[in-house]
Amino acid sequence: MEENAVESLAGRAYVVTGGGTGIGAATALRLAELGASVTVLGRRRDPLEAVAAEVGRRGGDALACPADVRDPAAVEEGVEAALDRFGRIDGLVNNAAGNFVTPAERLSPNGWRAVVDIVLNGSWNCTSAVARRMIDAGRPGSIVSVIATYAWTGHPGTVHSAAAKAGVVSMTRTLAVEWARYGIRLNCIAPGPTETEGAGSALWAAPEERERVLSSVPLRRFAGAPEIGDLTGFLLSDRAGYVTGAILTADGGQSLGRQIYGPPIGEGSGAAGTRR
Ligand code: HXC
């Protein structure tokens, strides 16, 4: 396989949901850099237009498509518009998410429904709309869903999101087997704390909160949104052609290293393996 990473998605066309901000926007820009045309789909027109314009300034081609992933008809319309514009569809990034931290006992039925609707039903709506078109066209493709490690560790305050993300993992594994016959690969990426405007202001706005989050990451830094976009580009590309039904965890070791506090072993005064 002689595929150059720099052009590994040349001529391809992808849909990125939640593509107007954060990891979704960074992913759209990276896919365009790798040679793909991109449709950014999300609820708010302005950020989508801004990302599409930025792709254009960098020499790529992008379509801004306002649609709520919870609405199957709107998703169908959006995917159809992407197909019309680019003449093909090679895959999807399920990035759109909704989340808020709340004690489970205070979560209302509507709060549960809103998050599960966006994360699980939205991912299914988009996956189904894109995959049916790839199957009809006899075209192989690749779908990546952005999840979180709490899909399997769980995390207090996020029962709605954790349950929905676990559903996305199960959907991914099921379809990876069922649709392998069509050459459709499905994988998940599980980013750890990632430096984005939204996360920064919502999840670690206070300096001490930021420090607390950082201290839970063995690599002692946040992920950059572009590096998560780059890994997604890799999973979409033929370089990952034998990878399906997998989860690529990119969390700086956070989900493994919760017990590590202090400097790396060997640099501090404690014996190797000592809990500090
Ligand atoms: C308690 C809340 C709440 C909060 C909303 N609700 N916010 N309850 N605490 N902070 C409740 C509302 O009261 C309402 O229930 C129900 O949820 C629906 O709220 P709406 O605002 O009407 O819904 P909607 O406009 O559809 O908004 C959906 C949303 C919102 C999920 C609630 O936050 C949203 O759209 N977020 C999109 C962006 C986002 O969240 N991105 C974060 C993704 S990050 P009642 O009973 O009052 O009617 C992520 C991964 C993080 O997911 C990983 C970290 C490692």
Side-chain angles (χ1 to χ4, degrees):
M1 186 169 54
E2 288 295 324
E3 195 182 79
N4 182 350
V6 176
E7 298 176 344
S8 56
L9 301 179
R12 305 235 172 120
Y14 296 94
V15 176
V16 179
T17 70
T21 54
I23 291 176
T27 300
L29 291 170
R30 183 60 183 147
L31 301 190
E33 262 171 20
L34 294 171
S37 311
V38 189
T39 298
V40 280
L41 186 149
R43 271 186 292 175
R44 292 180 298 133
R45 179 180 288 278
D46 286 355
L48 298 172
E49 299 277 10
V51 170
E54 182 59 26
V55 169
R57 273 192 290 280
R58 297 184 189 190
D61 197 1
L63 171 69
C65 186
D68 189 328
V69 295
R70 289 175 281 196
D71 178 349
V75 167
E76 286 292 326
E77 216 176 283
V79 172
E80 204 49 48
L83 196 54
D84 273 358
R85 166 73 173 265
F86 300 116
R88 59 188 286 165
I89 191 152
D90 299 276
L92 163 74
V93 181
N94 281 315
N95 166 77
N99 199 5
F100 52 84
V101 176
T102 183
E105 66 275 19
R106 282 193 231 145
L107 179 61
S108 72
N110 208 23
W112 169 273
R113 193 177 310 116
V115 169
V116 172
D117 234 8
I118 296 170
V119 174
L120 179 56
N121 298 341
S123 295
W124 165 249
N125 291 339
C126 296
T127 297
S128 164
V130 166
R132 277 185 277 107
R133 285 165 176 84
M134 295 191 299
I135 292 167
D136 286 350
R139 190 186 284 291
S142 178
I143 294 172
V144 173
S145 296
V146 181
I147 57 158
T149 57
Y150 58 54
W152 60 94
T153 65
H155 191 73
T158 63
V159 65
H160 42 7
S161 174
K165 297 279 192 191
V168 173
V169 171
S170 206
M171 178 191 83
T172 297
R173 289 181 171 147
T174 298
L175 298 175
V177 175
E178 191 168 333
W179 287 344
R181 79 184 97 152
Y182 301 120
I184 299 175
R185 294 183 299 105
L186 297 99
N187 293 289
C188 294
I189 182 163
T194 303
E195 197 82 80
T196 65
E197 238 174 68
S201 54
L203 301 175
W204 48 81
E208 57 277 14
E209 188 54 23
R210 193 180 163 85
E211 208 33 59
R212 196 188 63 75
V213 173
L214 269 183
S215 73
S216 72
V217 180
L219 285 180
R220 292 291 187 271
R221 69 173 179 86
F222 292 95
E227 77 182 315
I228 300 302
D230 187 46
L231 291 170
T232 297
F234 165 72
L235 286 173
L236 290 175
S237 79
D238 294 347
R239 290 182 292 148
Y242 205 54
V243 182
T244 196
I247 299 171
L248 200 171
T249 299
D251 71 343
Q254 188 192 41
S255 57
L256 302 173
R258 290 183 201 279
Q259 76 281 24
I260 299 174
Y261 301 96
I265 288 164
E267 287 178 21
S269 54
T274 303
R275 183 175 169 149
R276 298 171 192 144

